[in-house]
Amino acid sequence: MKAAVVVFPGSNCDRDAARALTLATGQKPHMAWHGDAALPDVDLIVLPGGFSYGDYLRTGAMAAQSPVMREVVARAQKGVRVIGICNGFQILCESGLVPGVLLRNTSLKFVCRSVRLKVENNATDFTAGYEKGQTVSIPVAHGEGNYFAEAETIKKLEGEGRVAFRYIDNPNGSMNDIAGIINEKGNVLGMMPHPERVAEPLHGCTDGIKVFESLLKAVG
Amino acid sequence: MKVRIDIMLKNGVLDPQGKAIGHALGTLGFAGVEDVRVGKTIFVTTSETDAAQALAAGKAMAEKILANLVIEDFIVTVV
């Protein structure tokens, strides 16, 4: 599996994502800069966590307009897998690749701790390595992770099994305890928790590596 | 010409920041505060001299990037 990690000014989880990908696939990913208008031929694009463009205007709003995102959107439409983690999820929302938006946490506090998630749907390219209903422990680190969408959209997401991960103890006020969703075609996943931070024994937990291993299996 | 874009959260979208400010106002002794909503105002200075054109441009900017229409409404005025 060939992968690319997009680096925006203010990204801070790009190296962690690259490390997790290298561990899972045995190949170093291509690191793409936000100004790149073209991307190499890849099977997976990772939008990493961080504070792209200093979260100016709205989280992810500036990054969604960057040259590289035009290419990411075009690739996603062609079926290339895209995973947006934390700020990457916010960017996916702002660029319209997944519905909804991430609002300020209801507590108004930045939450940085491990949270328990339920694998709601394991029939996706991103979660096939997990058991359905399995509880995993993956850390969150965000001030704006409160998933919001119109009632109709939520109904659609739930009805189509597009909630991939759900919080067991909701840390941010997200509607329906939503921690991660996939797009209609199933090739784009946005999630607030950081699977790349629990990817090897040194992290103290390896619950997140299966996201990358699942992708490897799906893509080959 | 200056275009003013006021952006507010839609009714029904939770505004925890507004809520916290409301609590602070109560603590400061401002009685009767029922609700506080926080928005933002953006001023765009443009070389456009036609007010209708400037207004239309401001609206397009708001729709394209300045506001997120899932959660926000906006009002554009020429000032």
Side-chain angles (χ1 to χ4, degrees):
Chain A
M1 177 172 74
K2 282 179 282 178
V5 177
V6 179
V7 186
F8 298 97
S11 292
N12 63 13
C13 300
D14 43 312
R15 303 285 179 104
D16 308 56
R19 166 117 185 143
L21 282 167
T22 310
L23 284 171
T25 69
Q27 276 188 72
K28 278 193 177 175
H30 170 79
M31 304 303 279
W33 185 230
H34 70 118
D36 295 351
L39 285 172
D41 188 24
V42 290
D43 309 299
L44 169 72
I45 300 167
V46 180
L47 304 180
F51 299 85
S52 58
Y53 299 88
D55 281 350
Y56 289 170
L57 191 63
R58 293 179 306 275
T59 56
M62 296 288 141
Q65 305 300 325
S66 62
V68 75
M69 279 309 294
R70 252 170 261 149
E71 183 63 16
V72 172
V73 170
R75 295 285 180 100
Q77 280 161 355
K78 279 187 201 152
V80 171
R81 273 77 166 181
V82 179
I83 177 170
I85 300 163
C86 197
N87 187 221
F89 186 11
Q90 295 162 340
I91 296 167
L92 287 177
C93 287
E94 279 287 341
S95 56
L97 285 175
V98 294
V101 59
L102 294 143
L103 297 173
R104 183 80 70 93
N105 296 346
T106 44
S107 64
L108 285 176
K109 291 194 173 84
F110 190 95
V111 182
C112 183
R113 61 178 163 85
S114 234
V115 295
R116 288 183 308 142
L117 306 173
K118 184 178 163 200
V119 180
E120 199 65 43
N121 182 356
N122 74 335
T124 80
D125 290 349
F126 305 87
T127 56
Y130 296 102
E131 301 292 329
K132 186 173 165 61
Q134 185 183 343
T135 299
V136 291
S137 189
I138 299 184
V140 293
H142 60 247
E144 297 177 56
N146 176 0
Y147 185 76
F148 174 92
E150 286 157 19
E152 219 169 276
T153 307
I154 295 284
K155 208 173 144 194
K156 195 162 179 242
L157 288 173
E158 293 287 359
E160 293 172 358
R162 285 165 57 192
V163 178
F165 294 103
R166 215 186 286 277
Y167 298 114
I168 291 172
D169 311 299
N170 191 336
N172 51 33
S174 285
M175 291 177 97
N176 289 29
D177 303 322
I178 288 171
I181 54 165
I182 53 171
N183 69 340
E184 208 154 9
K185 276 202 308 200
N187 66 314
V188 179
L189 169 78
M191 65 187 292
M192 286 313 292
H194 287 271
E196 80 283 8
R197 292 192 187 179
V198 276
E200 54 188 304
L202 194 63
H203 291 155
C205 175
T206 55
D207 282 1
I209 193 70
K210 284 209 171 82
V211 169
F212 304 99
E213 289 174 351
S214 301
L215 280 162
L216 176 66
K217 207 165 172 196
V219 171
Chain B
M1 195 162 267
K2 215 176 226 182
V3 182
R4 172 182 174 146
I5 302 112
D6 288 299
I7 299 162
M8 289 301 303
L9 283 173
K10 284 182 178 172
N11 285 335
V13 177
L14 200 69
D15 182 2
Q17 198 178 190
K19 229 175 195 172
I21 293 168
H23 281 304
L25 290 173
T27 308
L28 286 168
F30 291 100
V33 175
E34 288 178 352
D35 191 29
V36 178
R37 307 283 286 171
V38 180
K40 59 189 142 199
T41 300
I42 297 171
F43 290 97
V44 176
T45 306
T46 160
S47 59
E48 182 60 59
T49 50
D50 181 78
Q53 292 282 346
L55 205 64
K59 190 167 175 275
M61 289 174 200
E63 282 169 353
K64 185 119 195 187
I65 181 166
L66 301 181
N68 182 327
L69 303 183
V70 177
I71 46 163
E72 294 167 329
D73 287 324
F74 64 87
I75 300 167
V76 183
T77 43
V78 171
V79 292

